[in-house]
Amino acid sequence: MRVQVGRVGKPHGLDGAFVVEDASEDPDRFAAGTTLLVGGTPVRVTESKRAGGRPVIKLDRDVARGDTIEVERDALPSPEEGEYYAFQLVGLEVEEAGGEKLGRVAEVSTGPANDVLELDTGLALPLVDACVREVDLAGGRIIVQPGFTPG
């Protein structure tokens, strides 16, 4: 399985470098010498820098703007205790501590203060300790504290 770590963005300079949009937060993900997948084909990062806080990279071959940049899931380091990759949370059932089902995680979006669980029912829950009581990957569910939903 592959995991998206960015998208080919606008060109940066005239030498084939480009800004990585929706980039992974891992600072080493786009380091020179790293192998990534673009369009399912392995490519090597030949140059890497930052501009405006975003990664700017050059690859060993041309790629199209908008192409997805991926890595194999097995290449990702294991998250720390109590931390999760966003892709691990997508699809999990979300329920309140009392058992009321709220929906499934459709997306994890980045908010100004914290990440947000976007549910398929239209609910948006903050991904903070005060809201999320338990993430049970094996059980396929997230338990949240009551009081974070309207009504």
Side-chain angles (χ1 to χ4, degrees), residues 3-134:
V3 177
Q4 181 174 334
V5 294
R7 264 185 317 109
V8 177
K10 66 181 180 181
H12 191 272
L14 301 174
D15 66 350
F18 60 88
V19 174
V20 179
E21 296 176 352
D22 303 324
S24 163
E25 294 178 14
D26 181 351
D28 298 326
R29 177 70 55 222
F30 304 104
T34 302
T35 299
L36 303 167
L37 298 166
V38 177
T41 302
V43 295
R44 191 174 57 77
V45 178
T46 58
E47 294 177 27
S48 179
K49 61 184 176 182
R50 295 190 77 79
R54 298 191 303 176
V56 173
I57 62 174
K58 182 177 177 185
L59 302 175
D60 62 359
R61 70 175 181 85
D62 290 335
V63 293
R65 186 171 181 180
D67 278 354
T68 300
I69 303 170
E70 301 171 307
V71 295
E72 292 292 342
R73 186 175 179 173
D74 296 345
L76 296 173
S78 296
E80 297 292 322
E81 179 74 28
E83 293 182 357
Y84 306 93
Y85 287 110
F87 71 82
Q88 291 178 297
L89 304 179
V90 173
L92 297 184
E93 184 75 39
V94 178
E95 59 185 67
E96 285 187 331
E100 182 181 348
K101 296 197 183 304
L102 303 175
R104 289 192 178 277
V105 177
E107 182 179 349
V108 179
S109 60
T110 303
N114 52 265
D115 289 343
V116 177
L117 298 173
E118 305 278 348
L119 306 189
D120 59 2
T121 57
L123 288 175
L125 300 170
L127 192 52
V128 296
D129 290 341
C131 177
V132 178
R133 293 176 73 182
E134 177 186 354

